[in-house]
Amino acid sequence: MRIVGCLIFDGVRAFDYAVIGEVWSNRLTRPGLPGFELRVCGAEGTRVQLGGGLERVPDFGLDALLECDLIIVPGMEMNEPRDPAVPAALRAAHEQGVTIASLCAGAFVLAEAGLLDGRTATTHWALADELARRFPEVDVRPEVLFTGEGDLWTSAGVAAGIDLCLHLVRAAHGQQAAATIARAMVTAPFRTGGQAQFIPSPVPEDAVDDPLAGARAGILASLDTPWTVRRMAGLALMSERSFARRFVEATGTTPLRWLLEQRVLAAQRLLEETDLPVDTVAVRCGFGSAVSLRPAFVSRVGVSPREYRRTFRGRAAG
């Protein structure tokens, strides 16, 4: 995933366009990262009106999308008409095996191209009902930050676009590469949870400082502890039931799912950055043994711990 195409057209949101440029910038030297080539593609010779009054002339025409390893479709203003050549170009690129991802309302462009039929997809929570209404063949998941598999990905609004971009970097080039980019952007390299935590909901007037942050910090500091929900709740000085409910409200995921994600992330870091035996990595991250680590790791990362180390350890060391 070295040649990345950013597809622009009238109405594209300037923030999403900027996110793509920050993640796959080819103007900055970032030690330890592969060299990306970012191509800004659009209707050839046409000045594109971005959101916020900005303008941009694409560097490449739509035919250049066929040469990309990855195409990112930014979010856009919903009331802007689109050139029919755009979905046609996306269909042609997808048929050639190019991976395509959308940020925020960019999912509508993928749906218009017919790429999301029979697939799961997401978009900004405020637009999810409209996406489902207009494209009933798409399985819309309004609760997640991003979703997809293989060659098609979609993300929710604004910051979730950063999450998806970093996920794509992590999948192709390893966690260390994603973490390096995240540090440069001063953002978290990985967020658990979903859009549920951002959908407006009543807040009690007597709300006090959330005790969950300290509990999460304590858990992360000792992932090798055999954590249960009851034990986690004790850190927050809450009942088990209240803790579980508040945890889902705050993060969009359950305590045990969050814990598993954090343990896998920790294992990725150790596999990339150390020469510790896989059994030791498993114990330090709370899995107990390599046998227990393997299924959880494969389920979330797609390869075994040993295969992951072979792929990414050399890159991290270099």
Side-chain angles (χ1 to χ4, degrees):
M1 195 175 290
R2 300 299 179 93
I3 303 176
V4 180
C6 173
L7 176 59
I8 62 172
F9 42 84
D10 286 344
V12 158
R13 292 174 57 89
F15 181 89
D16 291 358
Y17 168 74
V19 163
I20 296 166
E22 284 293 321
V23 174
W24 281 285
S25 174
N26 53 4
R27 298 183 301 278
L28 302 177
T29 300
R30 295 180 285 194
L33 292 183
F36 299 119
E37 180 184 348
L38 180 62
R39 298 183 177 184
V40 179
C41 304
E44 199 164 2
T46 301
R47 185 175 295 275
V48 173
Q49 303 290 325
L50 303 178
L54 302 178
E55 295 184 342
R56 178 71 156 87
V57 176
D59 299 319
F60 296 85
L62 294 174
D63 56 342
L65 296 174
L66 295 172
E67 302 169 2
C68 295
D69 302 310
L70 168 69
I71 298 168
I72 307 288
V73 181
M76 77 289 180
E77 302 299 331
M78 292 296 294
N79 57 354
E80 286 285 345
R82 277 176 293 286
D83 183 342
V86 169
L90 288 175
R91 282 194 297 271
H94 186 250
E95 289 172 1
Q96 292 291 323
V98 179
T99 298
I100 300 175
S102 67
L103 312 186
C104 196
F108 284 80
V109 183
L110 271 61
E112 289 166 3
L115 301 181
L116 299 181
D117 289 357
R119 301 256 192 161
T120 61
T122 193
T123 186
H124 191 288
W125 58 263
L127 301 174
D129 287 346
E130 176 68 7
L131 182 64
R133 184 189 66 80
R134 288 177 54 182
F135 303 100
E137 297 302 316
V138 180
D139 180 10
V140 179
R141 303 286 180 87
E143 74 280 5
V144 298
L145 294 176
F146 62 83
T147 186
E149 58 180 330
D151 55 1
L152 284 172
W153 294 84
T154 56
S155 71
V158 192
I162 300 176
D163 296 324
L164 175 56
C165 289
L166 291 176
H167 171 78
L168 294 170
V169 171
R170 185 183 303 111
H173 301 289
Q175 179 166 290
Q176 188 59 43
T180 298
I181 295 172
R183 280 196 300 271
M185 296 176 68
V186 196
T187 189
F190 184 89
R191 292 192 300 161
T192 55
Q195 290 196 76
Q197 59 191 303
F198 304 110
I199 297 174
S201 59
V203 177
E205 293 182 2
D206 60 348
V208 296
D209 291 341
D210 185 359
L212 298 178
R216 290 199 297 269
I219 294 164
L220 290 173
S222 54
L223 286 173
D224 57 337
T225 297
W227 291 105
T228 62
V229 175
R230 175 173 293 185
R231 196 166 189 171
M232 296 180 197
L235 283 183
L237 302 178
M238 300 170 65
S239 71
E240 184 176 349
R241 183 174 180 179
S242 294
F243 176 81
R245 176 178 56 80
R246 290 279 300 278
F247 199 99
V248 172
E249 289 173 354
T251 68
T253 191
T254 67
L256 292 179
R257 286 178 183 169
W258 175 85
L259 175 62
L260 186 57
E261 294 288 355
Q262 300 308 312
R263 283 174 164 164
V264 171
L265 283 169
Q268 287 181 267
R269 285 193 294 271
L270 290 176
L271 290 168
E272 288 187 29
E273 299 170 8
T274 75
D275 292 317
L276 292 171
V278 175
D279 266 316
T280 302
V281 170
V283 170
R284 288 195 179 186
C285 297
F287 289 99
S289 69
V291 173
S292 297
L293 167 63
R294 194 179 193 282
F297 198 94
V298 170
S299 173
R300 283 153 183 79
V301 182
V303 295
S304 72
R306 287 184 171 81
E307 289 173 311
Y308 186 86
R309 169 169 275 170
R310 280 196 297 270
T311 302
F312 296 118
R313 174 68 178 121
R315 299 179 189 178

